[in-house]
Amino acid sequence: QVFPFLSQLGANGILIEYEDMFPFKGELEVLRSPYAYSEEDIERIQQLAEQHKLEVVPLVQTFGHVEFILKHEKYQHLREVERFPNSFNPHVPNTLALLKSVLAQVIEKHRRSTWIHIGADEVFHLGEGMDSKNWMSRNKGDVGTMFLKHIKEVLGFLSAQYWGLRVLMWDDMLRKISVGALRGEGTGTAVVPRVSAGCLGSARSRPATAGPAALPGHRAHRLAEVRGTRTPSLPPGAHTATLAAVQEAMAWLSPPCRYDHYSVLCELLPVGIPSLAICLQTLVNGGFTEEAKRKVLDVLGLESVQLEQSTCEGRGAFPGVEIYHMVEQVNGHLRESILKALEEESAIKGWFSPYHRKHHFGNPRNMESFGSKVLKLHEDWESFVRDLRAQLERVYFPDTVEEWVEENINPYLDQLRDLVRDYR
């Protein structure tokens, strides 16, 4: 459902950051989630993408954001700082050896892909480990040169083993490095830096489990303009072809699942789809023109969109639209309706307080004045949550459904459940 939809909106590729959802084998099997995709799943993903003229680009983190690897005792010795599982220590030979194995397994299952994304963003605590401090002292270097040295080693492996494979990486770490250092060290091979930009719209727009991000095929420089930032200029003397390459390279509208391996789930993919559609069409048309708006409404099956209010009107006809509307209900009414019942009902505050409930006494006359209303509210929300769970279970694995409900529903509904239990 998702691939034809994205293709219709102007995407020509899908970026997939698998993390522990990849079916690693052999020595790497410990990295697999219990719900990891099978090899057959990955082949099917690529077949479906190909049918809809979408290139699958795998993303393998090669420096930071490797908690899914370094959380395991087996690889703990490869951490930059022993107590943090975020980033690799680039000075341990086993780091590069492990990365070669990870990259090889992922690339092997993506033979159709002409791109690989090596991540390399947010390498937290780089330079804080003792090995790094010693290296900087011996080599009179800094964190920037150390970062570039490791990236060059990764790129060297890719260019030697996979001729013609094009490489992408995030740009945030490069921004901290001086032009002189970049000229001096370089990367030794072609690599296209991507602006590290999240999804426009909802600040929590990420799907649960490994999810696809859409990328339009041109006007990559527009992404910076849409986000209200300036396109980064190149150093004097840089060849204009470099700028053209960056501008023509794919812009990533990325609604990822989590900000890192340990963070809570961000917003579910169905909820981010209208925002994703608007972003894609904005890039394809060079702005959110009337033509772009008409296309978005037509493809989404909506009557209208209000960008300032981040709202849509109409039933919708996009993948996961039922989840979209149900999450809207949760966000808009669950907390408010429960708090209103618990805090504004005078009979609860006066005759069924936490003290009454703790000591199991109350005046039945006053309790009956709010009982039917509270029981009805509880029954309605429990019925709604059952329906929502059924919709989520069609799309997500059980652990994801449990986490989303635990984070977004139970903090409020549990208060009502407790009150109903005590009332009964």
Side-chain angles (χ1 to χ4, degrees):
Q1 289 177 304
V2 173
F3 286 1
F5 169 81
L6 293 175
S7 185
Q8 211 180 345
L9 285 164
N12 68 1
I14 300 292
L15 176 70
I16 302 184
E17 181 171 358
Y18 289 102
E19 272 210 355
D20 58 0
M21 293 298 290
F22 187 82
F24 291 108
K25 297 188 298 189
E27 284 289 302
L28 302 179
E29 194 167 351
V30 68
L31 304 180
R32 291 174 65 155
S33 158
Y35 299 106
Y37 297 133
S38 66
E39 292 183 22
E40 292 73 25
D41 289 334
I42 288 179
E43 179 57 28
R44 182 77 176 127
I45 286 168
Q46 291 177 93
Q47 287 172 359
L48 288 167
E50 199 169 37
Q51 281 175 30
H52 299 287
K53 298 181 172 55
L54 298 166
E55 177 169 355
V56 173
V57 180
L59 189 157
V60 177
Q61 287 287 1
T62 55
F63 214 161
H65 283 298
V66 283
E67 297 92 346
F68 80 102
I69 297 175
L70 298 182
K71 71 179 183 181
H72 295 285
E73 190 178 348
K74 181 177 180 179
Y75 298 117
Q76 199 168 335
H77 66 288
L78 301 180
R79 296 176 178 183
E80 168 70 358
V81 175
E82 189 180 353
R83 68 183 186 277
F84 300 138
N86 307 71
S87 308
F88 278 124
N89 176 345
H91 311 288
V92 181
N94 287 352
T95 292
L96 192 61
L98 173 63
L99 281 173
K100 287 177 180 180
S101 299
V102 171
L103 286 161
Q105 287 200 20
V106 173
I107 293 168
E108 179 59 37
K109 295 298 173 192
H110 293 83
R111 286 299 188 177
R112 296 173 177 83
S113 300
T114 61
W115 294 89
I116 179 90
H117 197 306
I118 61 168
D121 58 315
E122 297 184 337
V123 188
F124 298 132
H125 308 292
L126 182 60
E128 293 177 20
M130 193 50 67
D131 288 345
S132 289
K133 287 176 179 175
N134 291 338
W135 186 90
M136 288 188 288
S137 174
R138 282 197 312 272
N139 296 278
K140 296 183 171 56
D142 57 18
V143 170
T145 54
M146 196 161 54
F147 173 81
L148 289 173
K149 178 180 177 292
H150 176 72
I151 294 302
K152 281 175 72 174
E153 288 174 342
V154 171
L155 295 174
F157 164 71
L158 290 170
S159 60
Q161 294 295 315
Y162 305 99
W163 189 87
L165 186 66
R166 292 176 290 179
V167 182
L168 292 153
M169 66 182 287
W170 298 123
D171 74 323
D172 58 305
M173 296 297 292
L174 296 175
R175 276 188 247 143
K176 301 171 187 173
I177 301 171
S178 70
V179 172
L182 283 169
R183 281 186 178 144
E185 284 289 327
T187 56
T189 187
V191 58
V192 182
R194 302 303 321 131
V195 176
S196 299
C199 186
L200 311 186
S202 166
R204 299 186 59 198
S205 250
R206 287 187 166 196
T209 76
L215 33 140
H218 63 295
R219 303 187 186 215
H221 56 298
R222 292 277 181 195
L223 185 61
E225 296 171 23
V226 170
R227 289 183 59 80
T229 58
R230 292 180 298 131
T231 305
S233 56
L234 292 170
H239 198 277
T240 52
T242 310
L243 179 58
V246 172
Q247 291 178 341
E248 287 302 317
M250 298 176 255
W252 312 86
L253 296 176
S254 173
C257 6
R258 304 173 191 276
Y259 292 105
D260 72 34
H261 188 72
Y262 286 102
S263 78
V264 295
L265 285 166
C266 298
E267 196 52 275
L268 301 173
L269 178 60
V271 181
I273 278 180
S275 169
L276 188 57
I278 289 165
C279 293
L280 277 165
Q281 275 298 298
T282 297
L283 286 160
V284 167
N285 289 279
F288 194 51
T289 60
E290 279 303 312
E291 182 187 348
K293 189 174 183 178
R294 275 196 305 274
K295 176 80 170 181
V296 166
L297 293 176
D298 181 50
V299 175
L300 294 177
L302 293 170
E303 292 166 17
S304 66
V305 293
Q306 286 77 39
L307 297 188
E308 291 76 16
Q309 289 79 34
S310 295
T311 57
C312 304
E313 291 178 7
R315 292 184 62 180
F318 54 88
V321 69
E322 302 87 358
I323 293 172
Y324 175 89
H325 287 306
M326 294 178 96
V327 170
E328 228 178 8
Q329 287 288 103
V330 170
N331 288 342
H333 304 295
L334 176 69
R335 179 175 180 271
E336 182 187 349
S337 69
I338 291 173
L339 292 182
K340 187 175 180 182
L342 299 187
E343 293 177 7
E344 292 183 14
E345 179 62 61
S346 61
I348 291 178
K349 294 179 81 171
W351 283 269
F352 203 56
S353 71
Y355 184 80
H356 291 93
R357 291 164 62 185
K358 180 179 178 181
H359 295 285
H360 309 286
F361 77 98
N363 188 324
R365 177 181 175 277
N366 298 84
M367 286 172 63
E368 283 178 12
S369 71
F370 67 80
S372 58
K373 192 192 303 183
V374 165
L375 290 173
K376 175 76 165 61
L377 183 66
H378 173 248
E379 184 186 321
D380 288 349
W381 277 118
E382 291 289 15
S383 172
F384 175 87
V385 171
R386 281 194 295 274
D387 292 343
L388 175 56
R389 271 186 177 275
Q391 290 291 344
L392 291 173
E393 284 164 2
R394 291 174 54 226
V395 181
Y396 294 106
F397 292 113
D399 60 335
T400 300
V401 177
E402 198 55 45
E403 181 180 347
W404 197 87
V405 169
E406 196 72 51
E407 289 284 340
N408 296 279
I409 290 174
N410 290 351
Y412 312 110
L413 193 49
D414 279 350
Q415 295 178 54
L416 186 59
R417 287 167 176 154
D418 290 346
L419 184 98
V420 166
R421 180 199 63 218
D422 291 349
Y423 174 85
R424 284 181 172 145

